[in-house]
Amino acid sequence: MIVPIKYENEQLLIIDQTRLPLETVWLTLETKESVWEAIRLLQVRGAPAIGVAAGFGAYISVRDSKAEDSATFLSELKDVCEYLNSSRPTAVNLSWALKRMLAVGEANKDKSPAEIKAILREEAIAIRAEDEASCKSLGEYGLSLLKPGMGLLTHCNAGALATARYGTALSPMILGQERGYNFKVFADETRPLLQGARLTAWELFHAGVDVTLICDNMASIVMKNGWVDAVLVGCDRMAANGDGANKIGTSGVAILAKEYGIPFYMFVPSSTIDLNTPTGKDIPIEQRDSSEITSLWYKKDMAPIGVKTYNPAFDVTDAKYITAVVTEKGIAYPPYTESLPALLAK
Ligand code: MRU
């Protein structure tokens, strides 16, 4: 089972996801700049995994602080958290984990810097452990919606690589595999960064799941052929009204699913639900470099040099297209303005 982020012998290690599937390379992150860059470059990616990396990142960035009093130490921690939070805008798990690290530091302001450091270390470990438990639970709830032999479609990578372990939308697929469900999974390649081809197909293939890789523009034909019984995707930030931002292309898949009468399930740990963001319109959408579209995967440029591009990394699936939201606390159904707060209060 893949564990993409490790904290071993006081070192923060991540699998460099930009090198997959051909090479499994572990990076040691020792400074706040290396953590910022790893998140920005998608060496560590996927909303929950970004949160876990940020928790450890905040700790390793202040553990060698020479501050002699807690006020100075906490002001350094605040600066580090603000800096790391600027690495990517959309996945709320980043700010969620950093706010949590800062809050636990501030709640212990009466202690010495050395004592606060030890508490921050434990908090980062707790964030990772909670995500692992949450993904396990998402797998069970997700599987309860599915039947053996079903055809499933997923977009981007919401697997173990995107979390502490197990994954969100891929968790029931892996669990189903262990329990003999024999799912047939279609993985959208997920242009432009190919998380579906490079990461999801790799994870499912190695877990022995029957996975078929398709280009993003093939989702409609496989649905029309009757090969898809449910769509399972992850989420980077869910607003209070149930609108959910996920990898660019997700909303199109949801609209297709509605047209073909296929249930569309979004897998959203509570760390990804942001009740302070009222609707999808309020979710900041990351814009990325044009080279990801024009040249990244090609030997030569595949677009006129200098052509204008539009490269949003995420889109928002309107709540009306989401059949159910699977969380680690249970399954929420519309109206989400009522069911999400009720679940979170559990
Ligand atoms: O740009 P990425 O690769 O970080 O985007 C990731 C996604 O959109 C995932 O689907 C999402 O984070 C859910 S991961 C459990």
Side-chain angles (χ1 to χ4, degrees), residues 117-140:
K117 284 179 195 177
I119 291 166
L120 291 174
R121 183 179 178 280
E122 290 313 305
E123 194 67 12
I125 292 171
I127 290 174
R128 186 184 54 187
E130 285 168 29
D131 187 58
E132 200 174 309
S134 156
C135 288
K136 224 175 171 173
S137 172
L138 283 164
E140 293 288 354

Side-chain angles (χ1 to χ4, degrees), residues 17 39 42 44-50 88 90-91 93 131 135 138 154-163 167-170 190 193 195 198-200 233-237 245-248 250 267-269 272 286 288 313-315:
Q17 298 194 34
I39 296 174
L42 276 58
V44 58
R45 44 129 321 266
I50 291 172
R88 292 190 80 189
T90 304
N93 302 61
D131 187 58
C135 288
L138 283 164
T154 189
H155 190 77
C156 194
N157 171 264
L161 286 165
T163 62
T168 61
L170 296 200
T190 317
L193 293 182
Q195 288 92 334
R198 295 186 302 104
L199 309 176
T200 296
V233 296
C235 181
D236 288 86
R237 184 187 304 227
N246 191 48
K247 180 53 51 192
I248 189 71
T250 304
F267 285 68
V268 195
T272 306
E286 176 180 15
R288 294 187 65 89
F314 301 93
D315 59 22

Side-chain angles (χ1 to χ4, degrees), residues 301-318:
D301 282 326
M302 289 299 274
I305 309 245
V307 73
K308 267 201 297 181
T309 58
Y310 172 55
N311 186 16
F314 301 93
D315 59 22
V316 173
T317 299
D318 295 343

